[in-house]
Amino acid sequence: MRMSRYFLPVLKETPREAQIVSHRLMLQAGLIKQASAGIYSWLPMGYKILKRIEQIVHEEQAKAGHLAMLMPTIQSADLWRESGRYDAYGDEMLRIKDRGGREMLFTPTAEELVTDIFRSHVSSYKDLPLTLYQIQWKFRDETRPRFGVMRGREFLMKDGYNFDLTQEDALHAYNRHLVSYLRTYERMGLQAIPMRADSGPIGGDDTHEFLVLAETGKSEVFYDSEITDLTFGDRQIDFDDKAACAAVLEEFTSRYARTDETHDEALFAQVPEERRRTARGIEVGQIFYFGTKYSDAMGATVQGPDGKPVAVHMGSHGIGVSRLLGAIIEASHDDKGIIWPEGVTPFHAGIVNLRQGDAATDAACEDLYDSLRAAGLDPLYDDRDERAGAKFGTMDMIGLPWRITVGPRGLKDGVVELTSRRTGESQELSPGDAVAKLIAIYADL
């Protein structure tokens, strides 16, 4: 993509309505525009990052053996009355009627709908285990929508639902999701800590939230500092291996880590004092096991090995896809703008032409642009007739991880400048070596 042909409405002023860093930078960098309170239009660059995050989620769900589908955003109130949640959910649910007077709702979550799909098509234990998931827009009518995508009313969410014959199998699904979520967040450059949490309106006894530590987090969290030293890394795991998945759960949840809703001061006091930490956290995902809560209420049974009907054990598992953009920015920025991790960056590198209109400089930039694209990378070429300072300012604001600067002086010596956005360090390399280095960096992702 060339900047002269791109729609990137960067703002010079700080938006007055932005109260936190991620909201301010998403508006300034031209990623989103508010349509109404808590509802945003996703502009081309913001939408591109959203799709990159979606792709990572899809890839990790596929590795875990989960099946993607898509359910509607509008649901019938009748299903929610079956489960008993229609009246219990509260004012966050947007209730509507269609022209026939039928009561409908804009989905905040989809346990009822997916259970109805399951009970309509699955009748034997031989079809289990089964996990279905979607990435779909949700709506919750927040009393005070604020902080941009961090607490909006409309949001994009991955929600998955497992169906299993026994509690043991369902708890393996819980562990499997925890492993896949750890892998997902690390690919995005985030450390998301699983913390014992409250189940809220979804219900269930077992639940962990995944929280990214940040000063602007909604939740107060209490944890053993040892947990921040843990990484999943590039280890390989067999998702069908119950012992292996359980071992990962034990590794990442055995140390104290809880949100304020489930905090236990007596247990926390058992953590060595030098390792006790309190902070704020941003929730970016949650996993639940709730047994037969929905299957009992809605008649979701299968024929067991003995021929008798068995209510399936279920869990649900969510990732806040749109919220993740805000969380990544909260965790990765400086006073110049966003710093995207390589895994989710909208463009792999920016090319800055310091002398637009100079034949040699233009040709070198075109060659770099073509070479990166031929290698499967996606560069953003700033070919505008702007001063260098404005081009650098834009690149810093939008946060691409790498920048290649091309100017007449360097080209006389056969070099361009490759700069890391995160560290600010620059190297003078031949154009070919700069391309080769970027290929190597992204090959490891």
Side-chain angles (χ1 to χ4, degrees):
M1 179 56 64
R2 299 167 190 272
M3 193 81 84
S4 61
R5 301 177 187 174
Y6 201 52
F7 180 62
L8 186 64
V10 173
L11 304 179
K12 295 180 180 178
E13 299 81 18
T14 299
R16 287 182 298 175
E17 69 270 29
Q19 300 179 40
I20 61 172
V21 168
S22 59
H23 191 194
R24 172 175 64 81
L25 290 177
M26 288 183 77
L27 291 169
Q28 284 187 298
L31 307 185
I32 57 172
K33 183 184 186 302
Q34 181 169 305
S36 61
I39 300 174
Y40 294 88
S41 296
W42 291 80
L43 306 183
M45 185 169 287
Y47 181 65
K48 190 165 189 173
I49 302 161
L50 201 63
K51 300 305 287 185
R52 289 205 187 278
I53 289 175
E54 276 191 69
Q55 185 61 35
I56 292 173
V57 172
H58 278 305
E59 289 171 2
E60 293 303 326
Q61 289 297 296
K63 289 174 186 175
H66 306 158
L67 304 175
M69 62 180 298
L70 190 63
M71 291 178 277
T73 58
I74 303 297
Q75 298 183 25
S76 167
D78 292 341
L79 285 175
W80 284 67
R81 287 197 172 97
E82 277 193 63
S83 71
R85 284 208 301 172
Y86 185 70
D87 295 318
Y89 201 91
D91 292 337
E92 285 189 356
M93 181 189 290
L94 181 62
R95 296 164 170 84
I96 56 178
K97 289 185 179 181
D98 66 13
R99 67 172 64 193
R102 289 176 289 266
E103 291 182 294
M104 313 290 284
L105 57 97
F106 197 119
T107 176
T109 181
E111 282 82 5
E112 286 80 2
L113 190 56
V114 76
T115 302
D116 180 56
I117 292 169
F118 177 87
R119 71 184 178 182
S120 299
H121 298 288
V122 180
S123 58
S124 172
Y125 76 95
K126 294 179 181 179
D127 296 320
L128 303 180
L130 177 65
T131 295
L132 303 172
Y133 81 94
Q134 65 171 347
I135 297 178
Q136 177 63 292
W137 290 97
K138 306 290 191 300
F139 189 91
R140 293 177 188 163
D141 200 1
E142 291 273 359
T143 305
R144 296 179 62 201
R146 53 183 179 162
F147 304 154
V149 301
M150 301 295 291
R151 197 173 175 182
R153 292 193 295 165
E154 185 184 52
F155 54 95
L156 189 62
M157 179 178 169
K158 173 263 165 182
D159 49 315
Y161 307 90
N162 67 281
F163 301 87
D164 291 278
L165 184 64
T166 67
Q167 180 180 16
E168 179 187 357
D169 291 341
L171 289 175
H172 171 56
Y174 186 95
N175 299 347
R176 191 174 65 240
H177 277 85
L178 182 135
V179 174
S180 69
Y181 280 22
L182 290 171
R183 290 169 55 98
T184 298
Y185 295 126
E186 286 193 14
R187 283 187 62 186
M188 297 176 190
L190 287 173
Q191 182 178 47
I193 302 171
M195 297 193 178
R196 178 66 65 180
D198 180 66
S199 61
I202 290 178
D205 298 323
D206 291 276
T207 180
H208 282 85
E209 285 181 354
F210 290 79
L211 289 107
V212 175
L213 301 180
E215 292 180 1
T216 51
K218 176 183 175 183
S219 302
E220 185 176 15
V221 298
F222 304 81
Y223 63 97
D224 181 337
S225 63
E226 278 193 346
I227 201 166
T228 58
D229 297 327
L230 300 177
T231 58
F232 192 85
D234 58 0
R235 69 179 93 171
Q236 300 300 311
I237 191 164
D238 180 355
F239 282 99
D240 292 327
D241 187 333
K242 291 184 177 181
C245 291
V248 175
L249 175 109
E250 174 68 16
E251 177 186 354
F252 280 85
T253 65
S254 59
R255 295 164 181 82
Y256 191 93
R258 297 194 176 204
T259 61
D260 50 359
E261 293 97 337
T262 60
H263 177 54
D264 186 319
E265 196 61 47
L267 287 177
F268 192 48
Q270 296 176 19
V271 177
E273 185 175 1
E274 68 274 11
R275 300 206 318 252
R276 286 180 222 155
R277 300 286 187 276
T278 60
R280 309 296 298 181
I282 299 169
E283 180 199 344
V284 291
Q286 190 163 4
I287 56 178
F288 302 84
Y289 163 69
F290 40 70
T292 59
K293 172 180 176 176
Y294 295 93
S295 52
D296 282 338
M298 300 181 67
T301 63
V302 296
Q303 186 181 57
D306 58 2
K308 296 179 180 179
V310 178
V312 293
H313 287 253
M314 292 175 58
S316 66
H317 317 277
I319 290 178
V321 174
S322 53
R323 178 181 285 190
L324 273 167
L325 273 83
I328 292 169
I329 293 170
E330 291 291 334
S332 184
H333 68 274
D334 59 17
D335 57 359
K336 296 178 181 178
I338 302 166
I339 305 173
W340 291 116
E342 279 86 352
V344 297
T345 180
F347 295 95
H348 296 111
I351 301 172
V352 173
N353 187 334
L354 292 182
R355 188 72 62 81
Q356 196 70 38
D358 177 80
T361 309
D362 290 352
C365 288
E366 293 289 346
D367 286 344
L368 281 166
Y369 182 75
D370 291 341
S371 296
L372 289 169
R373 284 170 54 85
L377 298 181
D378 190 8
L380 177 63
Y381 172 24
D382 193 342
D383 61 341
R384 298 172 299 162
D385 187 16
E386 282 274 5
R387 57 186 178 81
K391 292 186 175 186
F392 289 145
T394 298
M395 285 293 174
D396 285 341
M397 172 62 70
I398 64 177
L400 306 186
W402 297 93
R403 184 186 76 224
I404 303 176
T405 306
V406 184
R409 184 178 301 174
L411 288 177
K412 288 181 180 178
D413 297 325
V415 297
V416 296
E417 188 176 70
L418 181 65
T419 303
S420 165
R421 174 69 180 87
R422 185 167 299 280
T423 67
E425 295 177 357
S426 296
Q427 291 179 275
E428 288 190 340
L429 300 168
S430 70
D433 286 346
V435 170
K437 180 160 184 174
L438 289 172
I439 292 171
I441 288 168
Y442 287 102
D444 293 335
L445 296 181

